[in-house]
Amino acid sequence: MNFITDRENSAAELYDMATEASVNAYAPFSGFKVGAALLDENGRIFTGVNIENSSFGATICAERTAFVKAISEGSRRFTAIAVAAESQEAIPCGICRQFMFEFSPDILIITGENRRELNIRTLEELLPIGFRLQEGRQ
């Protein structure tokens, strides 16, 4: 998938993958199933879903699930992420925005109510002042 040269079709394809992934979400409390499809700088795609928990603080969003999968497999830089939900546009929460900023402050975020009405935003639009600690300090 060459996101740079064919942005519109690539965004729709990534959104479709997020929609397909959302079927596997575990959302027994909210009923709000969300899927994510994350594109790394090498063209690999990682999907994720939201996973709720009886201890609500242990719930993880689809975006972070996709990032955790990708990072655990060696990816560190990402170009785009699509987030899809069944019934409405799903916008990444604040925790997810900061999580994404750690690895790719310039990532594009694709959301929408369906594949024909997509919104493509930069992370900076959603998180104007993100922060990162200097690497190497422990």
Side-chain angles (χ1 to χ4, degrees):
M1 177 179 297
N2 191 334
F3 197 85
I4 302 303
T5 58
D6 193 9
R7 183 171 158 167
E8 190 171 310
N9 284 331
S10 295
E13 288 176 27
L14 210 56
Y15 185 84
D16 288 344
M17 290 177 184
T19 300
E20 289 171 21
S22 72
V23 172
N24 295 320
Y26 179 72
F29 307 107
S30 72
F32 189 62
K33 292 185 169 193
V34 180
L38 175 64
L39 177 66
D40 80 1
E41 67 181 354
N42 297 315
R44 295 191 307 169
I45 298 170
F46 302 88
T47 59
V49 298
N50 61 318
I51 304 167
E52 295 178 350
N53 190 282
S54 295
S55 171
F56 291 125
T59 293
I60 185 168
C61 299
E63 301 91 308
R64 283 182 284 142
T65 301
F67 265 84
V68 168
K69 286 172 62 176
I71 293 160
S72 70
E73 293 185 27
S75 289
R76 295 290 187 271
R77 300 271 313 139
F78 307 95
T79 57
I81 187 168
V83 184
E86 185 176 277
S87 58
Q88 66 188 53
E89 183 174 25
I91 309 268
C93 72
I95 293 171
C96 288
R97 294 173 195 191
Q98 180 57 46
F99 198 94
M100 288 187 261
F101 191 86
E102 182 76 18
F103 296 94
S104 295
D106 55 346
I107 194 169
L108 295 175
I109 300 169
I110 303 156
T111 62
E113 291 190 31
N114 60 63
R115 79 179 322 264
R116 292 173 303 285
E117 299 175 39
L118 296 177
N119 296 303
I120 301 174
R121 300 174 180 97
T122 64
L123 179 56
E124 184 178 29
E125 289 176 275
L126 297 179
L127 183 70
I129 306 174
F131 70 94
R132 280 179 75 180
L133 298 176
Q134 294 292 339
E135 292 182 26
R137 294 186 183 190
Q138 296 190 23

